[in-house]
Amino acid sequence: MSDRRGPDHFHAMHRHGFVRVAASTPRVRPADVGFNRDAILAEARRAEAAGADLVVFPELCVSSYAIDDLHMQTALLDAVEAALGAIAEASRELPPVLLVGAPLRHEGRLYNCAIVISRGAILGVIPKSFLPNYREYYEKRWFAHGRGVQGQTIRFGGWAAPFGSDLLFEATDLPGFVLHVEICEDYWATIPPSSEAALSGATILANLSASNIVIGKADDRHLLCRSQSMRAMAAYAYSAAGPGESTTDLAWDGQGAIYELGDLLAESERFSLHPALCLADVDTQRIVNERLRTGTFADAAEHARRSGASFRRVAFEHRPHFRDVGLARPVRRFPYVPNRASHLDLDCYEAFNIQVEGLRRRFEATNGTSMVIGVSGGLDSTHALIVAAKVCDRLEIPRSTILAYTMPGFATGETTKANAWRLMRALGVTADEIDIRPAARQMLGDLGHPYAEGKPVYDITFENVQAGLRTDYLFRLANHNNGFVIGTGDLSELALGWCTYGVGDQMSHYAVNAGVPKTLIQYLIRWAVRSNQFDPETDAVLEDILGTTISPELIPADDEAGMQSTEDRIGPYELHDFFLFHIMRYGLPPSKVAFLAWHAWRDAQAGLWPAGFPETSKRQYDLATIRRWMESFLWRFFTTSQFKRSALPNGPKVSAGGSLSPRGDWRAPSDSVATPWLEELRRSVPEA
């Protein structure tokens, strides 16, 4: 067998720490145990065909839930035990772990149980901890609670299995697959049992539920699943009873949902007359990494251990298939860009106004009388300028407080220069132009650079003389006008080191864009137009700037190559922002980031795009392209650029994806190397 960490298994989701989880709602009949057994097995086989590793069925699905005193009938309980034995036997040929609900007798008491079944074995039985006995619920009439039931063994139908509320189930051959099970009311409790289970290492929390439906209750269940998955830093899989349950006094909707760290991965159709199955690939590596970097989780785990919380781990061999079965989870192409349609305006408003508030407070603190900014007609300076304009509006001071300068150099295009002037005039700022070419020629001549002798040598010195002069002018203009310099460089450029250090665009008095990647800047400018943040004249300029090729405009265009394109040289920002998010925020290995990027970007017609994203800008990338630009990203990010970030000016963090400030999310040595990341990429990702 080849190394499962190598390129031969690159396309297998198991290779990258994913576990395929299913929430299933079979059609049942009240007290018809044989029918229910067959319905459960039919859905288990359907989940198997979909590549599931775990299937969560509803509470008491073997007997059905709403049968009241029939739970106490010996004939029914005997039939339930026989049905569980049959399900266990049938599971020998079924790869998924099955979680089924049934009433079971133990030492003279009846318990509402979840039974964990895998490959012909009953791995364990978990009794329900909290029994609802209010309004329509009467569970204490029939069942004993499972709180405090620990370290026991249950025997029924010739089977013996661990029994108690202290069980975790761990796959020995699929790292990260550690399962805890609770039942319905347990997660409505103030402190759900799954909280302590997560602190003891469970990554996937499952809930077998009946939960009749009333108006608004589906939202409550979503809220509980989402909050528990976020607070416990885990995945949460929920399956509720559906059609077939008795409707004597209640109705059932069959809600299923799978959450991970607060994100909804999948949900089932409610009120369906057919069995429902929803699936999602849970990223256990992401969960483990998030716990690793969040000290509060470790502190809480230590506190739980001191308080006496303990769990037995039941190890089992899962035998994952390591086949290419796709990826059953949403992967955002633009992880920094707001993607909630219902909250789109709110999220964009929030992102934009974080920058506005950061700059407002800094301007207020300086006691200066002006803000100085260089305006190129490109995306970054455009965005910084409209943020500054909003600061003036909020402070109720004239926009002429902003001293904006366009500073053409050897490669400045007429289009971008014209757009810079149009924008400055439309916004009503104090605008001026300083031609840096004479000063640049003087400096190049003083340096003895070949360009001063008429030779077309466009090296890094040629570029940085221009970039440095612009910044030098801005700082001296700030001195001269009792102001401070607004930085325009963005998070993407800081990640790649695509900025001139010191006396260059890396430096400013306040780096208002430093927490905003290029893809978010583009989207926020579109939002500013769409939401009428400015007047129609300004909107027209912003639209034109959005359609301009991203370029530093430091090397003169020629007849063949045309204008210098940043993305042609360093790669697509949309890919680099994707790499940055997953590596910086979650610490994922390059091969996994490439796997996610391939699923996100391989087909422009598949998946969702941010609302309002231009059709002409929708691109796709094959794996070879992703691998090529990731190699470039890793080299730039880990080896060549940290010294620029270590001397980063102040600026606001905007996204939960993090910032690169050495005072914030990212601290790293300036003299590190990219070797471990590059080796992992080359070892694990196929070249084609």
Side-chain angles (χ1 to χ4, degrees), residues 344-374:
L344 186 61
D345 281 337
L346 175 60
D347 289 345
C348 290
Y349 166 85
E350 205 164 53
F352 188 73
N353 279 277
I354 288 169
Q355 293 181 268
V356 171
E357 177 57 21
L359 182 57
R360 181 206 65 79
R361 176 68 186 105
R362 180 49 56 92
F363 180 60
E364 182 182 73
T366 63
N367 295 315
T369 57
S370 67
M371 291 178 273
V372 177
I373 185 171

Side-chain angles (χ1 to χ4, degrees), residues 603-659:
D603 184 356
Q605 303 305 312
L608 297 176
W609 291 87
F613 196 86
E615 286 293 328
T616 55
S617 299
K618 294 180 178 179
R619 296 187 281 188
Q620 63 189 40
Y621 303 99
D622 59 22
L623 184 58
T625 302
I626 291 168
R627 188 183 191 274
R628 171 196 173 194
W629 290 121
M630 180 174 284
E631 187 164 358
S632 174
F633 173 86
L634 295 172
W635 173 258
R636 285 182 165 274
F637 185 74
F638 287 106
T639 299
T640 68
S641 306
Q642 181 58 40
F643 77 99
K644 298 179 181 180
R645 300 189 289 264
S646 295
L648 185 66
N650 296 167
K653 176 179 176 179
V654 174
S655 165
S659 79

Side-chain angles (χ1 to χ4, degrees), residues 53-136:
D53 295 295
L54 171 68
V55 189
V56 185
F57 290 99
E59 178 181 12
L60 295 173
C61 56
V62 177
S63 60
S64 73
Y65 178 84
I67 60 175
D68 300 328
D69 287 354
L70 301 186
H71 283 304
M72 308 294 285
Q73 290 290 310
T74 301
L76 180 127
L77 295 174
D78 288 345
V80 164
E81 292 182 4
L84 288 172
I87 293 171
E89 287 295 333
S91 75
R92 294 184 186 278
E93 306 302 322
L94 294 172
V97 176
L98 308 179
L99 307 184
V100 299
L104 286 176
R105 294 164 289 194
H106 176 68
E107 296 184 352
R109 295 180 179 182
L110 184 65
Y111 291 90
N112 180 343
C113 296
I115 298 90
V116 182
I117 299 171
S118 175
R119 295 191 181 273
I122 295 177
L123 299 181
V125 177
I126 302 94
K128 188 173 183 177
S129 290
F130 294 95
L131 304 176
N133 220 61
Y134 53 86
R135 294 194 293 274
E136 63 264 44

Side-chain angles (χ1 to χ4, degrees), residues 181-310:
V181 185
E182 60 190 7
I183 304 172
C184 199
E185 187 77 6
D186 290 348
Y187 92 139
W188 295 79
T190 305
I191 303 177
S194 57
S195 295
E196 290 187 340
L199 293 172
S200 293
T203 56
I204 300 175
L205 314 176
N207 189 308
L208 290 72
S209 178
S211 189
N212 62 293
I213 187 61
V214 294
I215 296 170
K217 195 172 185 180
D219 287 341
D220 293 342
R221 298 181 193 135
H222 274 298
L223 175 62
L224 290 171
C225 290
R226 183 184 181 197
S227 62
Q228 186 64 354
S229 72
M230 178 175 286
R231 182 177 293 109
M233 293 189 182
Y236 202 94
Y238 177 88
S239 178
E245 284 284 355
S246 171
T247 57
T248 300
D249 291 301
L250 305 170
W252 316 85
D253 64 333
Q255 184 174 11
I258 302 168
Y259 279 83
E260 176 188 300
L261 297 175
D263 297 329
L264 177 62
L265 301 184
E267 61 181 321
S268 62
E269 178 187 355
R270 297 168 57 222
F271 298 107
S272 173
L273 295 180
H274 304 287
L277 182 71
C278 70
L279 298 107
D281 291 339
V282 166
D283 190 346
T284 59
Q285 186 180 70
R286 177 189 179 216
I287 291 167
V288 171
N289 283 7
E290 186 71 348
R291 292 175 177 181
L292 187 69
R293 63 188 0 98
T294 307
T296 303
F297 186 89
D299 291 343
E302 179 187 21
H303 177 73
R305 286 192 296 272
R306 289 182 177 179
S307 300
S310 64

